Amino acid sequence: MKNGQSALTAPLTALAPAIWGSTYLVATELLPPDRPLLATTLRALPGGLVLLALGRTLPVGVWWWRAPVLGVLNIGAFNFLLFVAAYRLPGGIAAMILSAQPVFVVILAALLLGERIRPVHALACALGTGGVVLLVFRGTASPDGVGVLAAVGGALCLASGITLTKRWGRPEGVGLLTFTGWQLTAGGLALLPFWLLLEDLPDGLTGSNVIGFAYLVTLGAVLSYVIWFRGIERLPAVAVSFLALGSPVVAALLGYFVKGQTLSALQIAGMAVILLAVVLGQPRPPRREPREEPPVPPRGTVSQPSGRTAPEQERGG
């Protein structure tokens, strides 16, 4: 990929975690309360079905099992475990554990993709986790064991989804919208039984609820995942994993500007550290090799016309 294209791909891909960071505000301000599985199911399934209808292409061959695996890892299981962790863990411990997913991607990318582990990746992982700790951690309450396992499982799901999406790629002849539709549908279907078993329907939907669900389906699912899967295709898996750290940053900024929440000096420092980790995790542009100039003939020499040697020219002159 050309350097200019790569430089534009990273900030465009970062829009997906930024949108996901805004879903925290949408969920608390516009959606029915205490129904996270309803929100995540309706976020994924309707958009996936619409994209399937537009693409009119179903998986074939190995993609009958690959697409559901990616959909469960990237969307279904990840979102379910994320909400379990958020409900059972105090403060920002869930976000702190989930921020370790670049570590898993670094290891998986080395094993499955052959991407070399570089010292700068280890530094970026440490900075990213430390920055999230500064940004979201609150209090010293002892963590719940189930919540910790859910957070670790969510981080593993996200890391595995990124790595396998990069390894398997996209089937030839299948558009990005259709590929995204496969995964959104699979993820939504995986969440559907949990929603039906663990939650009930709200008594009614208000206008704000409709706006919130529309936002989740269009921006929070369809647009963001199209951008995300495009970025996975074009960037190294490790670079994409660090871009995901932007989600808690956007959530904190929206809380400050929209809800009037305060930001301490430590939180601002955490944002700066996260940004540094994201920058360090991106691929470095290749060094340009110096251009070889043609040799310059020594001064005082005269080039001879081709076809006749110097003695022949003297005899013929």
Side-chain angles (χ1 to χ4, degrees):
M1 185 187 302
K2 296 181 181 180
N3 293 345
Q5 293 176 338
S6 178
L8 292 175
T9 298
L12 178 60
T13 306
L15 285 177
I19 294 172
W20 298 337
S22 69
T23 59
Y24 298 110
L25 180 66
V26 172
T28 57
E29 297 298 314
L30 299 177
L31 299 185
D34 302 325
R35 286 177 175 84
L37 287 173
L38 170 65
T40 52
T41 304
L42 293 185
R43 173 187 176 188
L45 192 54
L49 293 175
V50 169
L51 292 181
L52 281 183
L54 293 175
R56 299 181 181 179
T57 303
L58 294 176
V60 295
V62 296
W63 285 99
W64 273 114
W65 65 267
R66 284 184 176 180
V69 167
L70 293 180
V72 169
L73 290 174
N74 285 317
I75 300 164
F78 169 68
N79 280 283
F80 176 70
L81 293 171
L82 174 65
F83 278 104
V84 170
Y87 272 97
R88 298 186 69 104
L89 292 177
I93 294 181
M96 181 180 67
I97 297 174
L98 286 165
S99 70
Q101 61 85 17
V103 178
F104 299 139
V105 174
V106 168
I107 297 172
L108 291 173
L111 295 175
L112 300 179
L113 306 176
E115 293 187 9
R116 185 167 60 92
I117 299 178
R118 301 166 53 202
V120 69
H121 292 155
L123 175 60
C125 287
L127 290 174
T129 303
V132 172
V133 171
L134 292 176
L135 179 62
V136 303
F137 183 71
R138 297 287 186 279
T140 58
S142 58
D144 175 80
V146 174
V148 170
L149 289 176
V152 173
L156 283 171
C157 283
L158 181 59
S160 301
I162 292 173
T163 308
L164 289 178
T165 303
K166 184 70 176 181
R167 178 179 175 86
W168 291 339
R170 179 159 42 100
E172 185 177 356
V174 174
L176 187 58
L177 291 179
T178 300
F179 185 62
T180 305
W182 291 354
Q183 297 193 51
L184 286 174
T185 302
L189 290 175
L191 288 166
L192 185 60
F194 293 98
W195 166 49
L196 295 176
L197 288 172
L198 300 176
E199 292 181 1
D200 56 355
L201 289 171
D203 296 332
L205 293 180
T206 65
S208 298
N209 296 156
V210 173
I211 294 173
F213 282 122
Y215 178 88
L216 289 185
V217 172
T218 55
L219 296 180
V222 174
L223 178 62
S224 61
Y225 275 108
V226 167
I227 293 173
W228 184 246
F229 294 139
R230 176 186 179 273
I232 293 176
E233 287 183 354
R234 303 188 177 202
L235 292 171
V238 173
V240 175
S241 71
F242 283 106
L243 293 175
L245 297 178
S247 183
V249 174
V250 172
L253 289 175
L254 287 176
Y256 175 77
F257 287 108
V258 178
K259 301 185 69 173
Q261 297 173 349
T262 59
L263 283 176
S264 66
L266 284 179
Q267 288 178 297
I268 296 174
M271 292 181 186
V273 172
I274 291 172
L275 179 61
L276 177 59
V278 171
V279 172
L280 290 177
Q282 300 312 299
R284 305 274 78 78
R287 295 180 180 179
R288 294 183 177 181
E289 297 293 335
R291 296 175 58 184
E292 294 185 2
E293 300 292 338
V296 179
R299 300 181 64 180
T301 62
V302 179
S303 59
Q304 303 296 337
S306 60
R308 299 179 65 188
T309 63
E312 289 177 343
Q313 293 180 22
E314 291 176 359
R315 288 195 300 270

